[in-house]
Amino acid sequence: MVSLDISIQSKVYPNSLERVLEGLDFSVSKGEFVALVGPSGAGKSTLLNMIAGLEKSDPGEVFYNGHSMEDRPPCKIGYIFQQPRLMPWLTVAENLRLVMPKVSDTQIEAILGRVGLSGKSASYSKQLSGGMQRRVSIARAFLTQPELLLLDEPFVSLDAPNAQRLRDLLLELWQEHKPTVVFVTHDLNEAIQLADRVLFLSSAPGKVVLDKVVDIQRPRL
Ligand code: ADP
Ligand code: ADP
């Protein structure tokens, strides 16, 4: 598993003058489930992209188990986006094979069974409901047994019962291997329900203003 040490002095996008993040310093322990809450525009997606190595900080650094981005050993990262981002011209199985080409049909069926999509491996995304597409994106993220799982408002435009089913599914899958999780949301209730620890990111420019350990009983699974 991965621990993260995040130390970002500032982040400015090349085509703008606005500071998106400033003075951000926090750590995430191995296997910890952290939620990052903040208003729209606070820089939550930017921060997740920096943790994934898709965006650079200037200056600043994200350390994986004490290693900088440049010299860290390979690390399996799962990223679940707000939109499922399935390739519409590929089947469910082919979408899963994009992240793990050598996976067998049996393994595909097994992970689809886990997310409640048995028998859907040959379907195309337009044949699936929004909730089902999100289940595929969850399956895709867990297929590689990631050490680090990043989620960017994954349940945002779902109806309440569907969102709750997917939150339960996420916790169930997480508890099998306990990857380190950074879960971005603007929904405080969702953060408290899922996470061990909730970080609040302020707007303009984004900075952690409160770091609270949530002391609640997780629902029994
Ligand atoms: P959040 O996820 O909290 O809504 P974002 O990280 O998406 O916040 O965006 C934070 C700020 O950075 C916003 O003002 C947004 O317009 C700006 N921003 C995000 N991505 C880019 C980009 N690629 N180029 C320029 N500005 C960006
Ligand atoms: P969210 O706030 O839910 O993270 P956004 O709609 O802010 O999503 O951003 C969607 C995409 O657009 C992201 O990839 C982000 O980097 C990009 N983006 C956001 N704001 C800007 C901007 N001002 N300039 C360029 N790209 C942007």
Side-chain angles (χ1 to χ4, degrees):
M1 290 311 145
V2 180
S3 68
L4 299 172
D5 294 293
I6 292 154
S7 165
I8 293 161
Q9 286 170 49
S10 79
K11 170 66 185 174
V12 180
Y13 279 103
N15 54 349
S16 92
L17 296 173
E18 179 198 19
R19 272 186 190 199
V20 177
L21 295 169
E22 188 176 63
L24 211 57
D25 256 304
F26 67 95
S27 297
V28 183
S29 326
K30 290 183 185 183
E32 195 173 26
F33 194 133
V34 165
L36 192 68
V37 181
S40 187
K44 304 183 296 298
S45 305
T46 301
L47 179 58
L48 275 190
N49 285 337
M50 289 169 88
I51 294 172
L54 300 171
E55 281 288 348
K56 280 201 166 238
S57 146
D58 40 9
E61 192 94 68
V62 176
F63 292 95
Y64 289 63
N65 294 336
H67 297 279
S68 71
M69 198 66 78
E70 283 72 29
D71 66 16
R72 71 180 162 86
C75 161
K76 285 189 282 184
I77 300 178
Y79 205 151
I80 301 181
F81 303 97
Q82 192 168 327
Q83 296 305 324
R85 297 194 182 178
L86 305 180
M87 303 300 164
W89 59 89
L90 299 177
T91 64
V92 166
E94 287 164 346
N95 268 284
L96 295 178
R97 287 207 164 88
L98 285 179
V99 298
M100 215 173 162
K102 292 199 176 130
V103 70
S104 69
D105 289 347
T106 318
Q107 284 171 294
I108 297 258
E109 271 312 317
I111 188 79
L112 288 179
R114 294 290 286 114
V115 302
L117 289 178
S118 292
K120 296 289 181 193
S121 64
S123 301
Y124 289 88
S125 53
K126 64 170 184 279
Q127 300 170 294
L128 304 176
S129 69
M132 288 161 103
Q133 291 179 32
R134 279 166 215 254
R135 286 171 185 270
V136 178
S137 76
I138 293 171
R140 181 177 58 190
F142 277 95
L143 187 62
T144 58
Q145 298 192 353
E147 298 155 81
L148 174 64
L149 183 61
L150 306 173
L151 303 102
D152 193 353
E153 308 225 30
F155 310 133
V156 84
S157 52
L158 291 171
D159 59 72
N162 234 328
Q164 189 54 49
R165 277 197 288 277
L166 290 189
R167 281 194 287 270
D168 291 342
L169 173 65
L170 171 67
L171 276 186
E172 200 181 304
L173 292 170
W174 174 71
Q175 276 168 347
E176 285 172 19
H177 298 285
K178 298 237 170 126
T180 308
V181 176
V182 184
F183 184 100
V184 158
T185 180
H186 59 259
D187 181 345
L188 185 56
N189 285 326
E190 180 170 78
I192 289 171
Q193 188 194 339
L194 292 172
D196 300 317
R197 196 169 132 221
V198 181
L199 300 169
F200 294 85
L201 201 65
S202 80
S203 48
K207 187 171 182 164
V208 169
V209 285
L210 197 61
D211 180 352
K212 190 144 185 59
V213 175
V214 179
D215 185 13
I216 50 150
Q217 196 65 44
R218 277 242 175 73
R220 281 260 152 266
L221 291 168

